[in-house]
């Protein structure tokens, strides 16, 4: 089953609200950004563990594909919460910043432009 981004965002927002209430977390603009940074650090740690470029955790946890995926989910979830808290319409922003270039790049002979052809 695949949800639209809006549906997924609403569900993530609901989990975020409930989690904050249960744990009595007062969230503000800084909290959302700092939490996003924390989750990126945890994803980085898992990535490095899997790549063999970090020491294993003392308790032996981490370093698995599942742990990496869980940290990616945490980062994505916190990013969605950041977007919601800052009223960022990411679909519109992606269209404006990224996708407007798609037709131009598709029509280019990338190897020729890059000097490889």
């Amino acid at each position: 089953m695949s949800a639209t981004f809006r549906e997924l965002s609403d569900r993530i927002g609901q989990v975020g609200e409930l989690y904050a209430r249960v744990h009595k977390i007062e969230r503000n603009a800084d909290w959302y950004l700092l939490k996003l940074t924390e989750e990126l650090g945890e994803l980085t740690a898992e990535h490095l563990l899997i790549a063999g470029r970090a020491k294993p955790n003392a308790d032996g946890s981490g370093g698995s594909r599942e742990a990496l995926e869980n940290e990616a989910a945490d980062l994505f979830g916190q990013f969605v919460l950041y977007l919601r808290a800052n009223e960022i319409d990411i679909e519109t922003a992606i269209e404006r910043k990224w996708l407007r270039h798609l037709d131009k790049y598709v029509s280019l002979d990338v190897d020729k432009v890059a000097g490889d052809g």
Side-chain angles (χ1 to χ4, degrees):
M1 178 171 105
S2 180
T4 66
F5 182 74
R6 182 173 303 275
E7 292 166 339
L8 189 58
S9 174
D10 288 345
R11 293 173 68 197
I12 289 170
Q14 185 178 14
V15 171
E17 288 297 322
L18 293 170
Y19 183 88
R21 272 195 262 153
V22 166
H23 296 283
K24 297 177 177 43
I25 297 170
E26 291 186 36
R27 300 177 295 175
N28 60 31
D30 289 346
W31 184 91
Y32 288 102
L33 184 60
L34 292 170
K35 191 67 175 169
L36 191 57
T37 302
E38 175 191 341
E39 295 301 342
L40 179 58
E42 292 175 4
L43 178 64
T44 301
E46 288 303 327
H47 175 88
L48 293 174
L49 275 171
I50 288 173
R53 295 195 312 258
K55 287 193 226 177
N57 296 332
D59 65 359
S61 66
S64 68
R65 181 69 189 187
E66 183 177 359
L68 181 72
E69 291 171 356
N70 288 344
E71 292 305 336
D74 283 348
L75 179 62
F76 181 80
Q78 289 299 331
F79 183 60
V80 170
L81 294 178
Y82 176 86
L83 295 172
R84 293 170 64 87
N86 288 282
E87 299 178 0
I88 295 171
D89 179 346
I90 195 64
E91 292 170 297
T92 299
I94 287 174
E95 187 71 40
R96 180 181 62 243
K97 182 69 176 164
W98 282 78
L99 301 183
R100 70 185 174 95
H101 301 289
L102 187 58
D103 289 338
K104 176 177 73 173
Y105 288 132
V106 167
S107 69
L108 290 176
D109 182 344
V110 177
D111 291 332
K112 193 176 213 177
V113 173
D116 297 336

